[in-house]
Amino acid sequence: MRTRRVWVVLVAIALALGVVAATPAGASHGANGKICIANDIGGDSSSFNRSAAAGAAEAAAKLHVETATLDAATGADLIANIDAFVTAGDCDLIIGIGFIVAFALEPFIQANPQQRFAVMDFSFGGLYDDNTAEVLFRTDQSAFLAGYIAAGISDTGKVGVFGGLPIPPVTVFMDGYALGVEYYNAEFGANVEVLGWDPDLQAGLFTFNFDNPADGQAAAAALYDMGVDTVFPVAGLTGFGALAEADLRKAAGDEVRVIGVDSDWSRDLGDPNRVILTSVVKDLGPAVFNQASAIASGSWQGGVVWEDLAGGATYIAGFGKTNPQVPGYLKNDLKAISAAIIDGTIPTMP
């Protein structure tokens, strides 16, 4: 999620649309089909690409499907990669990783109604249900757990959140987080405030980019200055600025924390200053595996597909170096709360 880069990519996509041609899907090579993955820009640096690759590897090993993956450095690469898959005609399913790739896929989806596609973390609003699966993630469920924990250990009675853009893949995290805090308040008779997002008004704090850590640091600083002790930045690379601000404040003696997003920040970054409380992970691996499984079994269908807490596509990471800050009773609550979220007893959306 990188706004400036997004616009560059979209311009490249618009210029490249003339290369789109309708090509019929051919026979698959794998025993149970062939899955072709068009990665987001960034290669292995993208947590989405990495988790998608893990799902593809699992599918190849367990389902005996053939897999093919193409990386992209630019918007033009995205077009070329998708065109190569479509032209070859042997992909039983072409999967686009992330919303930038979804934009690139759309003209190919329109021009190739017999080819099956899937987009990860994006919806076309039902326009292409006949040949496209729109895989969406219930990150509100795991964000709810993070909000509950953040509220439970707050010393100031204030926790914060900000987003990159006011779009559903972002605000779904913010909704779940805010409702998790509300649930904690109801359970314990507390009054922990959420600054940065109002789930009822659907209004809050945004940086309007995904690729500017300086803006993320400024947003986090504003929240910390208002008394927040835990910040949840739902803003891609911009969110790393919140981590930098937390590190600075911890060094100055403040007891502050940050919650990672998309991947396990503590695992990936090490957390030398002990400020990463947890991370709300969006794991594309199970989603890619499930799409491959549907192809292998002949049960694949277009339309919206939800991946959730129950299927392991979203979860909160371990507490890592901040583990001593989380009381045992709060940790014990997570199992029961997770079960209630999964069975629908506890709502995680407003």
Side-chain angles (χ1 to χ4, degrees):
M1 299 188 214
R2 301 163 292 274
T3 300
R4 295 190 184 97
R5 196 176 300 168
V6 167
W7 293 118
V8 172
V9 169
L10 295 183
V11 169
I13 289 170
L15 292 174
L17 294 186
V19 306
V20 178
T23 304
S28 63
H29 292 307
N32 288 314
K34 181 175 181 180
I35 309 301
C36 300
I37 299 174
N39 269 344
D40 193 5
I41 291 171
D44 286 343
S45 68
S46 164
S47 64
F48 287 171
N49 290 346
R50 294 196 305 271
S51 60
E58 184 182 9
K62 294 182 178 180
L63 303 174
H64 306 293
V65 297
E66 182 180 351
T67 63
T69 301
L70 291 175
D71 289 327
T74 67
D77 291 340
L78 293 178
I79 294 293
N81 291 346
I82 298 165
D83 185 61
F85 283 145
V86 172
T87 300
D90 62 352
C91 298
D92 290 284
L93 181 69
I94 299 173
I95 301 177
I97 305 302
F99 75 94
I100 296 176
V101 187
F103 280 113
L105 274 171
E106 186 171 17
F108 291 92
I109 291 170
Q110 293 172 331
N112 297 274
Q114 303 306 311
Q115 171 67 58
R116 289 171 291 197
F117 297 90
V119 291
M120 294 284 160
D121 207 25
F122 188 81
S123 173
F124 292 111
L127 291 176
Y128 313 113
D129 284 356
D130 288 343
N131 70 330
T132 303
E134 301 171 348
V135 183
L136 304 176
F137 295 81
R138 291 295 307 273
T139 48
D140 52 293
Q141 296 179 334
S142 46
F144 185 100
L145 301 175
Y148 180 83
I149 292 295
I153 66 170
S154 178
D155 293 320
T156 64
K158 295 179 181 180
V159 298
V161 61
F162 68 87
L165 283 173
I167 56 177
V170 171
T171 59
V172 67
F173 283 93
M174 302 168 82
D175 282 333
Y177 183 71
L179 267 62
V181 174
E182 290 182 9
Y183 183 78
Y184 174 84
N185 288 339
E187 289 293 294
F188 290 90
N191 191 32
V192 178
E193 296 180 72
V194 179
L195 303 186
W197 184 243
D198 186 321
D200 296 321
L201 298 177
Q202 292 288 292
L205 176 62
F206 295 92
T207 59
F208 295 95
N209 56 50
F210 294 101
D211 63 348
N212 192 327
D215 286 350
Q217 185 165 357
L223 290 168
Y224 287 133
D225 285 346
M226 289 188 283
V228 161
D229 53 17
T230 299
V231 171
F232 181 29
V234 191
L237 296 179
T238 297
F240 288 138
L243 177 57
E245 183 64 20
D247 284 337
L248 288 174
R249 296 200 178 220
K250 184 67 177 287
D254 295 341
E255 193 59 52
V256 298
R257 293 167 291 273
V258 66
I259 295 173
V261 68
D262 290 338
S263 65
D264 183 346
W265 283 15
S266 182
R267 178 198 64 204
D268 295 345
L269 305 176
D271 194 21
N273 296 304
R274 302 176 185 272
V275 295
I276 300 174
L277 174 58
T278 183
S279 297
V280 179
V281 178
K282 183 189 296 182
D283 188 348
L284 271 61
V288 168
F289 180 87
N290 289 341
Q291 286 293 301
S293 180
I295 289 294
S297 66
S299 62
W300 185 91
Q301 292 182 327
V304 172
V305 177
W306 287 102
E307 296 286 351
D308 56 17
L309 188 65
T314 181
Y315 56 89
I316 61 167
F319 299 114
K321 293 181 179 179
T322 59
N323 186 62
Q325 300 179 32
V326 184
Y329 72 90
L330 288 179
K331 296 173 188 172
N332 291 337
D333 287 347
L334 293 181
K335 185 175 181 179
I337 294 172
S338 295
I341 289 171
I342 290 169
D343 71 20
T345 305
I346 296 178
T348 58
M349 290 287 287

